[in-house]
Amino acid sequence: MIKKYYLLSPGPTPVPENVLAAAAEPIIHHRTPQFSKIFMDTTEMLKMVFGTKEDVFILTSSGTGAMETAIVNTLSPGDKVLTLNAGKFGERWGNICKAYGVVYKEIIVEWGKDYPKEKLEAELKAMPDCKAVFCQLSETSTGAVYDIKGFGEVVAKTDAILVVDGISGTGATPCPMDEWKVDVMVSGCQKSFMIPPGLAYIAFGPKAWAMVETAKCPKFYFDAKKAKKNLADKTTPWTPAVSLVIQQKKALDIIAAMGLDGLFAHHRILGDATRAGVRALGLELLAEKPGNILTSVKTPAGIDGGKIVKTMQGKYMAYIAGAQDPMKGRFFRIAHLGYMGGFDIITALTALEMTLADLGYDFTPGDAVKAAEPILRESWS
Ligand SMILES: *Cc1c(COP(=O)(O)O)cnc(C)c1O
């Protein structure tokens, strides 16, 4: 059989055909009115997706670069912060802090478990000199989403800033930055923003800008003040990834045409259909509060979790993601993020059913698709 590649991972995600084609256009110079127009239009549309009136800066880096930008521009070595470590990406906040001598206290949350704002409030009370709270909107290593609105209410009452990693969540699940009192929001382009990897986005609110003035962490490439000064001139301090910005503008045109509510509803439908499908196979979800970005599914008893991912990818070329260390083999992750349609969920569920049949799991083939179909059909519009 022709082996067709199906990308079902939570980043990078599939890219619309017209957006892919845009990368083949001749390169234009970045210090020109022609590029500045595209760049500023893109920036404006990113502000809409972020839900902010603040500047959104486009960085040429992967998402982690925006995480680093958040830290080095707001903090000084020796500052005390809280990091919510509920998975691989929460852990990364701590690792970046460590690299810059920022003193972090990790709030360790079991993978997939929720974390209520009341607990954060208590942590902040016990740490009055806390300068920042770092967390994820969508913890992509588990599929769980967190109560950013609640965290915003709690952190706003203190001197600390709330820094949210929306690298997989922004644009897929609501998180209006200004309304929810998020002080720094970061995102990346290769997930819900539907373009190839290579750009990261960041915005700072007023409370965070005040900290930028005194932050002493070393920085050069990721200097927010340089980015702000250059944005006022409709440009970037360094050469931007010209083609990616052009691609992002085209993908944002699709997002703008759907509207944010339309985009959130789309992800909700795909998430509902996926969850219904896997549950119909007798499988359990990992996340207590699963987001509509990806679905983490626990490996059923008696089945080798590594083999599920290997078979899905190797035999069926359905590129779901496995669980990362230290949870390898314990669950697997099916994304419904980026340029995915309803039938991509059917593909994912069918590939999963065929894989489980190969591995000897006891179920009725077709049950997952049977559960997902009505959800997709009834909300198809
Ligand atoms: C993908 C992801 C990252 C890392 O982004 P890179 O682009 O790989 O640097 C960080 N946080 C979350 C929540 C992610 O999903």
Side-chain angles (χ1 to χ4, degrees):
M1 230 187 282
I2 289 177
K3 291 240 170 177
K4 192 170 170 188
Y5 190 103
Y6 300 97
L7 185 59
L8 303 166
S9 92
T13 62
V15 175
E17 293 78 2
N18 70 315
V19 176
L20 282 174
E25 286 174 17
I27 303 296
I28 56 173
H29 197 275
H30 59 291
R31 311 280 187 210
T32 56
Q34 192 189 358
F35 182 74
S36 281
K37 164 96 175 71
I38 297 167
F39 176 68
M40 293 311 288
D41 287 350
T42 307
T43 302
E44 279 308 310
M45 289 164 110
L46 287 171
K47 285 164 70 166
M48 179 271 289
V49 180
F50 268 50
T52 187
K53 54 179 184 359
E54 303 295 334
D55 291 333
V56 178
F57 301 109
I58 299 176
L59 311 173
T60 303
S61 81
S62 82
T64 306
M67 295 171 79
E68 184 157 337
T69 301
I71 290 173
V72 298
N73 284 283
T74 56
L75 298 169
S76 305
D79 278 352
K80 289 190 191 144
V81 304
L82 284 169
T83 62
L84 186 68
N85 176 350
K88 261 286 161 253
F89 296 108
E91 183 183 41
R92 186 166 303 175
W93 279 127
N95 289 336
I96 305 171
C97 284
K98 196 190 299 170
Y100 286 98
V102 170
V103 182
Y104 63 102
K105 179 179 177 202
E106 268 184 330
I107 302 168
I108 309 261
V109 177
E110 193 187 328
W111 283 34
K113 289 279 178 289
D114 196 21
Y115 185 74
K117 64 175 178 181
E118 291 77 16
K119 281 196 179 167
L120 179 62
E121 193 161 29
E123 288 282 352
L124 280 163
K125 280 223 170 81
M127 194 179 180
D129 53 351
C130 178
K131 288 274 173 70
V133 174
F134 293 91
C135 64
Q136 268 63 36
L137 166 60
S138 154
E139 175 47 84
T140 319
S141 62
T142 67
V145 289
Y146 289 91
D147 178 17
I148 303 303
K149 186 170 186 238
F151 296 172
E153 287 164 13
V154 166
V155 178
K157 289 189 239 158
T158 72
D159 290 335
I161 51 168
L162 176 64
V163 184
V164 177
D165 166 2
I167 295 175
S168 68
T170 315
T173 197
C175 186
M177 178 178 168
D178 296 353
E179 194 188 322
W180 285 8
K181 303 183 171 67
V182 173
D183 299 297
V184 183
M185 183 131 105
V186 307
S187 198
C189 71
Q190 79 275 27
K191 297 177 182 181
S192 67
F193 284 100
M194 302 193 291
I195 71 164
L199 296 180
Y201 309 126
I202 185 164
F204 300 84
K207 200 172 169 187
W209 275 122
M211 284 173 68
V212 171
E213 291 307 319
T214 56
K216 290 195 180 57
C217 279
K219 57 197 154 280
F220 185 81
Y221 185 77
F222 290 127
D223 188 329
K225 282 205 226 166
K226 283 192 195 116
K228 189 179 173 64
K229 184 171 167 288
N230 278 269
L231 189 62
D233 293 331
K234 304 185 170 49
T235 189
T236 50
W238 330 113
T239 309
V242 170
S243 303
L244 288 172
V245 174
I246 292 169
Q247 288 182 292
Q248 187 60 90
K249 167 70 173 59
K250 287 207 188 299
L252 282 163
D253 284 339
I254 299 173
I255 290 172
M258 280 184 84
L260 266 192
D261 288 341
L263 200 59
F264 297 150
H266 161 82
H267 283 90
R268 197 163 55 240
I269 294 159
L270 299 194
D272 282 345
T274 308
R275 289 186 287 267
V278 297
R279 281 185 176 131
L281 299 177
L283 301 174
E284 282 177 46
L285 306 185
L286 175 79
E288 203 175 339
K289 241 177 70 187
N292 297 318
I293 292 98
L294 68 146
T295 298
S296 289
V297 185
K298 290 186 189 167
T299 303
I303 303 285
D304 178 341
K307 279 201 182 138
I308 295 180
V309 178
K310 268 208 189 95
T311 309
M312 289 277 282
Q313 294 187 350
K315 181 172 177 186
Y316 299 111
M317 297 197 76
Y319 279 77
I320 60 159
Q324 291 150 291
D325 274 335
M327 295 288 276
K328 241 189 173 101
R330 307 263 290 274
F331 62 91
F332 55 91
R333 300 175 291 153
I334 303 171
H336 20 86
L337 178 65
Y339 182 55
M340 293 228 186
F343 289 125
D344 292 318
I345 302 307
I346 299 298
T347 299
L349 292 173
T350 300
L352 176 61
E353 286 193 351
M354 287 165 67
T355 297
L356 290 172
D358 288 345
L359 300 178
Y361 178 65
D362 183 23
F363 73 108
T364 311
D367 273 1
V369 171
K370 204 192 225 171
E373 257 186 30
I375 295 173
L376 295 171
R377 186 165 44 82
E378 280 155 28
S379 35
W380 208 280
S381 60

